[in-house]
Amino acid sequence: MGKTTSEVYDWTQNFWVGCQPVSAGCLHCYARADYQEFKRDNFDKVVRTKTWGNPLSWQKRLAKTGKVEKVFTCSWSDFFHPDADQWRAEAWSVIKNTPNLLWQVLTKRAEFIADRLPEDWGEGYPNVCLGVTVEMKKYLWRMDTLRKIPAKARYMIAEPLLEDLMPDLEQHVEGFHQIMVGGESGNGTNDFRPMNEQWARNIRNLCVAKQIPFYF
């Protein structure tokens, strides 16, 4: 948690850690492997972290320069996990009060988003981009669920991409502002499911045609 070398995010912030598998993409979960290597705790139990003050310190620094930086939240959990309901309102408050941080909020639990937004969400917080993971065609419904929810920006991550999402994906991209694609890492081992490069090219070509920013 903290500064990252990612080309996509400047920071990671976990308000809580821990999760359980919900779909095919969870089989070789990088977060579970990383957490258990460093913490050696039970990843199935969702627990609150002690790093809640970090975003406020980042905000204080950025406010002086007017710069905006990106934060990926819950890289070791799921922001909409039901076991974190007791802390989520406080997390939304931190997010709302850090306007110089652009929060990337990703979930595989799209069905829980609508009931777990803050009361003053309105058409969406200006510094929040809501996203869903879609690793196979049978999870494209997550995009449809997210599309119905007001948001200033929406994105989809096809990672790990486990099959060709085309041509079905074309019917689900309306209302999305970015699509990202990646393969499975295997958690530092050779135990990963291979991704056909043409699957990624097919999504890239769709994004070009639809003028949707694409990142691989």
Side-chain angles (χ1 to χ4, degrees), residues 61-134:
R61 173 179 54 82
L62 293 170
K64 296 177 181 179
T65 63
K67 186 178 179 181
V68 174
E69 293 183 346
K70 294 181 179 180
V71 181
F72 179 49
T73 186
C74 285
S75 60
W76 281 3
S77 187
D78 188 313
F79 189 83
F80 294 101
H81 198 298
D83 290 353
D85 285 352
Q86 59 186 313
W87 310 305
R88 192 172 298 100
E90 187 179 352
W92 279 126
S93 179
V94 172
I95 291 171
K96 180 181 179 180
N97 288 294
T98 50
N100 289 78
L101 297 176
L102 179 59
W103 292 84
Q104 312 287 305
V105 179
L106 180 68
T107 186
K108 285 185 175 70
R109 294 170 168 82
E111 69 274 21
F112 294 145
I113 299 176
D115 292 335
R116 287 166 171 79
L117 295 172
E119 293 183 358
D120 62 351
W121 178 256
E123 293 302 308
Y125 285 175
N127 64 330
V128 173
C129 182
L130 291 179
V132 291
T133 302
V134 176

Side-chain angles (χ1 to χ4, degrees), residues 26-38:
C26 301
L27 180 61
H28 298 146
C29 177
Y30 77 90
R32 177 179 293 274
D34 289 350
Y35 182 74
Q36 291 178 338
E37 177 182 355
F38 289 105

Side-chain angles (χ1 to χ4, degrees), residues 111-163:
E111 69 274 21
F112 294 145
I113 299 176
D115 292 335
R116 287 166 171 79
L117 295 172
E119 293 183 358
D120 62 351
W121 178 256
E123 293 302 308
Y125 285 175
N127 64 330
V128 173
C129 182
L130 291 179
V132 291
T133 302
V134 176
E135 64 268 42
M136 300 175 72
K137 288 182 179 180
K138 63 181 179 180
Y139 304 120
L140 285 166
W141 63 266
R142 294 171 180 162
M143 298 180 72
D144 301 329
T145 299
L146 179 54
R147 186 186 305 108
K148 298 174 184 177
I149 296 171
K152 296 299 182 182
R154 303 179 191 88
Y155 71 112
M156 184 273 274
I157 293 185
E159 183 179 359
L161 182 58
L162 300 178
E163 68 177 4

